[in-house]
Amino acid sequence: TDAEVSTRKKTFAEVQAERLDQAERTVLIKCPSKLNEKKLLQYLSSHGNVKSHFFFENRGINASIEFSEKSSIASLQDAVGIPSASEHHVVPFKSRLFTFTLKNPVSQRFEETPLHLSPQCHIPVKDLIEKLCLADSISSQMYILLNEYQLTEENIKLRFLACSLVRDFACAYFPDSTVKPFGSSVNTFGKLGSDVDMFLDFYDTGKHAAKMKKGPFEMEYQMKRLPSERLATQRILSVIGDCLDNFGPGCVNVQKILNARCPLVKFSHQPTGFQCDLSVSNSIAIRSSELLYIYGCLDSRVRALVFTIRCWARVHGLTNSAPGTWITNFSLTMMVMFFLQRRSPPIIPTLDKLKELADEKDKHIIGGYDCSFVSDLRKIKPTKNTEALEVLLAEFFEYFGNFDFRRNSINLRKGKEVNKPESSPLYIWNPFEQDLNISKNVNQPQLEKFIAMARESAWILQKEDKAQQMIDKEPWGLAALLIPFGKSNSSKMKNRMKGIGSETIRSLLDSLKLNNANSQQKAVGK
């Protein structure tokens, strides 16, 4: 649609700013199960124009209400009562979370209207497989999967709202601070149900630098000095974590993980239903989010392929929500990007190409690393590659099923297979911190399991007789790849894994048996 195209062409920074602003003008209201939508909106409109709203289910019915003006919220807050402290004492923090009740529900019952509820999680894999079997091609199966799993407009709004509500606490101490989402919430590759990664940013450094240039003298704040940035980060997060824990309505299970490489506070935000991770500004993580945003916007095949591969990997137990020796979603996404750079002609440009297109305002040097790349999507020429999605899917499995992981590494800057700088089984260069391997955690058995699954999938797609499978009512195409392998064909699989060490085969088949039992549950639960 035209609307879709016009939103697609905005820069990452513009989209972020717009959504943060939207979130600032939004309130969240817990509603009774029987509700007259018109009456609620009428009541709210007495405080100002309601620009947009939607309802969703999360421990009951909730309404997200976006006002046109921020002042409407203050007006509403003035009219809202404080809960009576009969059995509980309340912490008198006035937030933008409200509960709406009917004073005498019986007389108002006849007026209730059916509400449209926005889904906040994706369908289970088994339901997805049924949907996929009704499609007419593998390409359309992949787009169906994308549509079922990708973040909806409403879900994105709630993610920004969760950040905005945390910001209200941070601002009590640091009035200029902002809280912004990064990672999958903003890079166009987020899946319904995924966590919200958010970070705390203290000031707009550019603005401060400009202020100081004028005049013959200098003035600066007296601020508490600490021996390291890390210590400052830990102290700030510790206090904000306590704040959320003690005063934050609906913030539960607050855990402070301050000794991690990147200190963070984990908590559940019940009003929006998200699991949140709060850390302090990490500029490189934001550049990675923006890079993926650009790749995701350039061509619709990019996101469809990434979502498909990630769903496939989850079903086969190649990825896991717990940290460990398996491939992460981020590594998998980078492998898809690399594969798309290697097509002829390339479907997406290398990072070096994007850096060549950068102008002055795109220059970012962070901690000595050059993180510059073009932000204006219009400057990037569209690809001339017209390969169908289903071709790309089969070729992806073919490419990585036969990739020389022993010798080569994956480098998105150059879009080339480069000799490995060190002996990790899987080496994917961090696009910005050039001396880091983003897949350092992956061990040999996990990598070989990935290779075996890729070969098996390539083989299934090659030998497939779609017409026959449709007659037999068997899952075909992508649906056939989303059913754990090894149930009926583990002996066939042994033959196709010649060339992979025999001890690995044994561990592989064992892990397959293990995975079969729990991967369906994982896939459904994730």
Side-chain angles (χ1 to χ4, degrees):
T1 62
D2 292 345
E4 171 86 347
V5 172
S6 65
T7 56
R8 273 278 166 261
K9 289 299 173 199
K10 286 180 186 143
T11 67
F12 181 74
E14 286 164 354
V15 174
Q16 289 276 83
E18 211 168 277
R19 292 207 178 273
L20 286 166
D21 177 57
Q22 241 173 10
E24 295 282 290
R25 293 180 276 105
T26 301
V27 300
L28 204 54
I29 303 177
K30 210 174 187 38
C31 300
S33 55
K34 312 283 189 198
L35 178 73
N36 182 317
E37 181 174 353
K38 210 163 150 195
K39 288 236 160 123
L40 172 65
L41 290 172
Q42 237 168 358
Y43 165 67
L44 292 168
S45 299
S46 65
H47 296 284
N49 183 45
V50 173
K51 191 170 180 185
S52 78
H53 73 287
F54 62 89
F55 294 94
F56 64 100
E57 162 76 52
N58 169 35
R59 309 156 139 259
I61 304 283
N62 300 270
S64 166
I65 308 287
E66 180 200 341
F67 285 104
S68 298
E69 300 295 331
K70 205 173 167 178
S71 55
S72 304
I73 294 179
S75 158
L76 177 61
Q77 280 171 324
D78 282 346
V80 168
I82 286 169
S84 55
S86 49
E87 60 226 272
H88 296 293
H89 272 285
V90 294
V91 173
F93 178 78
K94 295 178 178 175
S95 70
R96 289 178 280 145
L97 300 165
F98 309 114
T99 306
F100 177 77
T101 43
L102 300 169
K103 283 186 180 150
N104 68 7
V106 183
S107 68
Q108 295 179 22
R109 176 161 303 160
F110 66 93
E111 295 176 352
E112 71 191 64
T113 48
L115 297 174
H116 167 70
L117 298 176
S118 296
Q120 299 304 312
C121 57
H122 62 76
I123 58 176
V125 171
K126 61 177 197 324
D127 299 359
L128 175 68
I129 289 174
E130 283 176 23
K131 265 195 176 174
L132 296 181
C133 290
L134 304 172
D136 57 359
S137 69
I138 293 178
S139 297
S140 48
Q141 286 182 327
M142 292 168 75
Y143 281 120
I144 289 169
L145 183 144
L146 173 64
N147 277 319
E148 289 295 338
Y149 276 50
Q150 69 182 349
L151 302 183
T152 58
E153 178 63 19
E154 292 80 15
N155 189 269
I156 295 171
K157 284 181 175 176
L158 282 182
R159 286 166 185 268
F160 277 86
L161 179 60
C163 293
S164 180
L165 294 167
V166 172
R167 178 186 182 221
D168 291 345
F169 280 100
C171 284
Y173 295 97
F174 307 104
D176 290 343
S177 63
T178 54
V179 175
K180 300 176 184 167
F182 69 97
S184 67
S185 297
V186 296
N187 65 17
T188 75
F189 295 96
K191 183 181 87 182
L192 283 174
S194 62
D195 297 355
V196 179
D197 294 309
M198 45 176 82
F199 71 86
L200 193 53
D201 211 359
F202 295 104
Y203 29 55
D204 181 351
T205 34
K207 216 163 61 181
H208 273 252
K211 270 187 194 165
M212 292 317 306
K213 290 206 173 106
K214 296 187 184 131
F217 49 78
E218 262 189 34
M219 287 265 269
E220 59 182 26
Y221 287 105
Q222 293 182 23
M223 287 179 168
K224 195 172 193 75
R225 293 178 190 274
L226 293 172
S228 72
E229 187 183 4
R230 182 174 171 83
L231 186 61
T233 294
Q234 289 169 324
R235 291 204 181 167
I236 291 165
L237 284 175
S238 180
V239 171
I240 303 243
D242 285 341
C243 225
L244 293 171
D245 201 10
N246 290 304
F247 308 145
C251 294
V252 297
N253 307 330
V254 179
Q255 282 171 285
K256 298 194 281 188
I257 307 170
L258 301 179
N259 289 322
R261 192 176 71 88
C262 175
L264 75 154
V265 174
K266 275 178 137 16
F267 62 97
S268 290
H269 190 253
Q270 283 178 335
T272 53
F274 293 121
Q275 199 39 60
C276 303
D277 286 358
L278 173 68
S279 49
V280 164
S281 177
N282 171 349
S283 314
I284 289 189
I286 298 144
R287 296 303 283 160
S288 296
S289 303
E290 176 164 4
L291 178 65
L292 284 175
Y293 170 85
I294 287 174
Y295 283 149
C297 290
L298 284 179
D299 190 294
S300 63
R301 291 170 293 180
V302 178
R303 296 172 62 240
L305 187 57
V306 168
F307 275 80
T308 299
I309 297 296
R310 291 202 315 206
C311 182
W312 165 85
R314 203 164 49 253
V315 164
H316 298 296
L318 295 171
T319 53
N320 195 309
S321 50
T325 56
W326 26 74
I327 298 177
T328 62
N329 270 330
F330 184 57
S331 293
L332 211 48
T333 304
M334 288 307 188
M335 288 168 87
V336 176
M337 297 304 154
F338 182 71
F339 164 75
L340 294 172
Q341 290 176 342
R342 302 285 301 150
R343 300 311 289 162
S344 175
I347 292 178
I348 56 174
T350 63
L351 186 47
D352 279 346
K353 278 253 156 42
L354 295 178
K355 185 179 153 186
E356 281 167 30
L357 294 169
D359 59 22
E360 232 3 80
K361 69 173 191 327
D362 295 326
K363 290 266 181 288
H364 287 267
I365 310 287
I366 301 165
Y369 296 107
D370 190 345
C371 303
S372 311
F373 55 82
V374 65
S375 57
D376 184 348
L377 292 158
R378 290 166 304 191
K379 290 186 183 165
I380 306 167
K381 286 198 178 72
T383 176
K384 295 201 161 49
N385 181 308
T386 57
E387 290 174 293
L389 254 180
E390 55 194 88
V391 172
L392 294 173
L393 181 64
E395 291 283 328
F396 175 88
F397 293 131
E398 196 68 41
Y399 180 74
F400 282 115
N402 298 298
F403 189 89
D404 187 355
F405 287 104
R406 237 163 295 185
R407 189 172 309 144
N408 289 333
S409 64
I410 290 170
N411 187 322
L412 280 96
R413 270 200 171 269
K414 303 193 172 17
K416 284 199 177 79
E417 303 169 10
V418 187
N419 279 350
K420 260 200 236 186
E422 48 100 346
S423 63
S424 299
L426 174 60
Y427 197 104
I428 304 173
W429 296 70
N430 182 311
F432 302 116
E433 296 172 87
Q434 279 288 285
D435 40 10
L436 291 184
N437 170 12
I438 61 174
S439 49
K440 202 174 173 56
N441 63 308
V442 179
N443 65 12
Q444 194 63 32
Q446 286 297 329
L447 176 63
E448 293 191 352
K449 187 175 162 191
F450 170 80
I451 296 167
M453 293 298 183
R455 289 181 182 181
E456 178 70 0
S457 301
W459 189 81
I460 287 175
L461 289 175
Q462 259 159 22
K463 71 155 179 62
E464 185 163 79
D465 177 356
K466 175 182 153 194
Q468 192 53 49
Q469 281 164 303
M470 290 182 88
I471 293 164
D472 298 343
K473 296 254 187 294
E474 273 181 39
W476 62 276
L478 176 54
L481 300 183
L482 297 184
I483 293 165
F485 307 149
K487 280 196 170 148
S488 58
N489 54 10
S490 59
S491 59
K492 287 186 210 157
M493 206 163 155
K494 277 180 189 155
N495 298 332
R496 280 196 297 284
M497 279 158 38
K498 295 225 163 68
I500 297 183
S502 62
E503 73 293 342
T504 312
I505 287 197
R506 221 164 297 129
S507 73
L508 237 168
L509 290 168
D510 291 345
S511 71
L512 273 177
K513 285 178 196 131
L514 272 174
N515 266 305
N516 267 337
N518 61 18
S519 67
Q520 285 251 254
Q521 271 166 314
K522 285 251 170 61
V524 171
K526 204 36 195 142

